[in-house]
């Protein structure tokens, strides 16, 4: 009879031992426990909008500091090999979340694409890059008729931005057809130094200005969107599809909170953030010029991460109005799409 009473106790003890052993494996620092990690962590495949750079610092810090893991997340940062349509990657099951700019989010929404932005994590300055040392451009009005380098050329975006600035500077008779176009992709500094363009737009101050100076353009300067009549879209946001947002809302909320905690480290422990970033981009393996770019762009980007991840309806209404006014978005489409269909503050508070 005693053996019969002991048997459940022995079995329970064995099960407890097995559970403890499994817990020990799952909490081990050994990176080989991928199978266990997959069982414990929610995977988020997050597509970047460009190659890894300081704009992505909260993501890198959250990964390196173990913040994502503490929220139960396995966030995989994926660089695009070329331009991609993020919503198509999400619909195809290859991504869960992507980084984009408010400008592209609004444009995609007007085209009827299934996009939903839900958290802003970077807000910098930017606009149109020019070389002040050449002496032919000193104010926005001087850009009338110049050659513009911009990704998406020969589309309407580049001239729309530049001509808005020209008009804001008082020159109202500049024909938008006078601008010449060059597609230098995002290699803005190269476009100017090779004399293929006079100005380059869709630049972020914290990256292109330090980069240009590190590459020898000592008088690199820019006209800021926010100062010359263009909606300030020099920001980065997280987006997904509406259906994916509904399905994984709780997980995406954890992503927002983890990045917010990482932003605190960026501001409060910048030297630690710098160490994480240099490790991530393998700074020591870079050329001398590239190391200078890495140093300068990191320092310039540190103040660009807001604590507030929300964006207003009024902001997107104004942005869409400008896109319609400058013929970048069809007027009917711009009027019909509501901001709530492509932006939500539901988990960004």
């Amino acid at each position: 009879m005693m053996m019969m009473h002991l048997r459940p106790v022995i079995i329970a003890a064995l099960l407890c031992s097995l559970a403890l052993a499994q817990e020990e494996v799952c909490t081990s620092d050994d990176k080989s426990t991928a199978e266990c990690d997959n069982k414990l962590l929610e995977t988020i495949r997050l597509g970047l909008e460009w190659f890894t750079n300081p704009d992505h610092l909260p993501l890198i810090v959250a990964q390196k500091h173990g913040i994502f893991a503490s929220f139960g997340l396995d966030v995989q940062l994926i660089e695009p090999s070329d331009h991609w349509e993020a919503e198509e990657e999400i619909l195809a099951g290859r991504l869960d979340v992507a980084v984009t700019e408010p400008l592209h989010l609004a444009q995609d929404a007007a085209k009827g694409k299934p996009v939903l932005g839900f958290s802003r994590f970077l807000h910098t300055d930017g606009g149109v890059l020019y070389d002040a040392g050449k002496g032919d451009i000193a104010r926005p009005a001087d850009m009338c008729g110049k050659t513009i380098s911009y990704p998406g050329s020969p589309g309407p975006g580049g001239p729309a931005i530049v001509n808005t600035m020209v008009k804001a500077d008082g020159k109202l008779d500049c024909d938008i057809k006078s601008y010449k176009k060059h597609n230098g992709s995002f290699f803005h500094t190269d476009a100017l130094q090779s004399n293929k363009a006079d100005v380059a737009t869709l630049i972020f101050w914290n990256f292109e200005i330090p980069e240009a100076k590190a590459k020898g353009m000592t008088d690199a300067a820019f006209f800021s969107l926010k100062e010359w009549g263009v909606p300030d879209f020099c920001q980065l946001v997280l987006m997904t599809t509406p259906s994916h947002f509904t399905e994984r809302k709780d997980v995406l909320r954890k992503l927002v909170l983890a990045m917010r905690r990482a932003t605190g480290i960026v501001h409060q422990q910048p030297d630690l953030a710098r160490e994480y970033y240099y490790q991530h981009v393998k700074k020591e393996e870079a050329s001398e010029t590239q190391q200078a770019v890495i140093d300068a762009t990191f320092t310039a980007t540190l103040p660009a991460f807001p604590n507030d991840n929300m964006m207003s309806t009024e902001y997107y209404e104004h942005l869409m109005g400008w896109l319609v006014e400058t013929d970048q978005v069809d007027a009917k489409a711009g009027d019909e799409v509501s901001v709530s269909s492509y932006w939500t503050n539901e988990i960004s508070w």
Side-chain angles (χ1 to χ4, degrees), residues 198-221:
D198 302 302
V199 298
T201 192
L202 293 179
I203 71 115
F204 280 5
W205 167 86
N206 59 296
F207 191 88
E208 271 78 19
I209 297 298
E211 179 197 50
K213 291 183 176 181
K215 290 185 174 181
M217 192 188 300
T218 56
D219 295 311

Side-chain angles (χ1 to χ4, degrees), residues 120-232:
R120 175 190 60 170
F121 69 92
L122 177 129
H123 191 172
T124 185
D125 203 348
V128 180
L129 172 71
Y130 68 100
D131 186 354
K134 291 184 177 180
D136 59 335
I137 297 175
R139 55 188 295 171
D142 296 334
M143 295 190 292
C144 179
K146 297 293 188 182
T147 300
I148 311 167
S149 179
Y150 60 103
S153 175
I161 293 168
V162 173
N163 208 47
T164 298
M165 291 184 164
V166 168
K167 286 183 176 180
D169 194 26
K171 187 171 178 56
L172 305 179
D173 60 349
C174 187
D175 185 352
I176 198 164
K177 295 179 181 178
S178 68
Y179 297 100
K180 294 170 282 295
K181 305 169 184 178
H182 170 68
N183 193 338
S185 186
F186 288 98
F187 300 102
H188 306 295
T189 301
D190 295 345
L192 268 60
Q193 289 185 316
S194 64
N195 294 316
K196 292 178 180 177
D198 302 302
V199 298
T201 192
L202 293 179
I203 71 115
F204 280 5
W205 167 86
N206 59 296
F207 191 88
E208 271 78 19
I209 297 298
E211 179 197 50
K213 291 183 176 181
K215 290 185 174 181
M217 192 188 300
T218 56
D219 295 311
F222 77 104
F223 298 117
S224 174
L225 300 180
K226 61 182 172 52
E227 296 174 17
W228 296 102
V230 183
D232 178 11

Side-chain angles (χ1 to χ4, degrees), residues 28-313:
S28 168
D29 289 333
D30 184 355
K31 301 300 182 183
S32 66
T33 59
E35 182 180 350
C36 195
D37 288 343
N38 289 338
K39 293 178 181 178
L40 294 176
L41 303 180
E42 287 269 10
T43 298
I44 296 178
R45 294 157 300 176
L46 194 152
L48 306 179
E49 85 293 356
W50 200 22
F51 66 85
T52 303
N53 64 73
D55 293 347
H56 308 128
L57 194 55
L59 293 164
I60 294 167
V61 170
Q63 196 175 62
K64 294 281 188 182
H65 201 70
I67 298 173
F68 283 144
S70 73
F71 276 88
L73 303 176
D74 172 25
V75 179
Q76 301 169 3
L77 305 182
I78 304 170
E79 290 188 13
S81 56
D82 197 355
H83 175 74
W84 55 19
E85 299 296 337
E87 81 287 347
E88 293 180 7
E89 295 294 309
I90 294 169
L91 289 170
R94 292 185 288 269
L95 290 178
D96 299 297
V97 176
V99 176
T100 191
E101 297 176 29
L103 174 68
H104 304 313
L105 185 70
Q107 289 172 326
D108 286 345
K111 293 175 183 175
K113 294 185 176 183
V115 294
L116 184 65
F118 61 87
S119 181
R120 175 190 60 170
F121 69 92
L122 177 129
H123 191 172
T124 185
D125 203 348
V128 180
L129 172 71
Y130 68 100
D131 186 354
K134 291 184 177 180
D136 59 335
I137 297 175
R139 55 188 295 171
D142 296 334
M143 295 190 292
C144 179
K146 297 293 188 182
T147 300
I148 311 167
S149 179
Y150 60 103
S153 175
I161 293 168
V162 173
N163 208 47
T164 298
M165 291 184 164
V166 168
K167 286 183 176 180
D169 194 26
K171 187 171 178 56
L172 305 179
D173 60 349
C174 187
D175 185 352
I176 198 164
K177 295 179 181 178
S178 68
Y179 297 100
K180 294 170 282 295
K181 305 169 184 178
H182 170 68
N183 193 338
S185 186
F186 288 98
F187 300 102
H188 306 295
T189 301
D190 295 345
L192 268 60
Q193 289 185 316
S194 64
N195 294 316
K196 292 178 180 177
D198 302 302
V199 298
T201 192
L202 293 179
I203 71 115
F204 280 5
W205 167 86
N206 59 296
F207 191 88
E208 271 78 19
I209 297 298
E211 179 197 50
K213 291 183 176 181
K215 290 185 174 181
M217 192 188 300
T218 56
D219 295 311
F222 77 104
F223 298 117
S224 174
L225 300 180
K226 61 182 172 52
E227 296 174 17
W228 296 102
V230 183
D232 178 11
F233 49 73
C234 293
Q235 308 179 55
L236 291 180
V237 303
L238 299 179
M239 60 80 64
T240 186
T241 62
S243 60
H244 211 70
F245 180 83
T246 300
E247 292 168 6
R248 304 197 70 188
K249 190 183 303 181
D250 292 344
V251 175
L252 297 178
R253 172 63 175 165
K254 292 178 182 179
L255 174 65
V256 172
L257 292 176
M259 290 179 65
R260 189 175 296 167
R261 185 176 296 176
T263 296
I265 291 177
V266 170
H267 293 311
Q268 297 160 27
Q269 302 180 63
D271 289 340
L272 178 60
R274 186 185 297 268
E275 180 182 337
Y276 285 147
Y277 180 70
Y278 286 0
Q279 289 174 359
H280 188 80
V281 299
K282 298 180 172 60
K283 180 196 169 191
E284 295 303 320
E285 299 177 15
S287 67
E288 184 176 347
T289 298
Q290 189 57 29
Q291 286 195 29
V293 171
I294 290 170
D295 282 332
T297 55
F298 178 90
T299 300
T301 307
L302 276 176
F305 304 103
N307 294 317
D308 181 6
N309 304 120
M310 297 189 291
M311 298 187 77
S312 71
T313 297

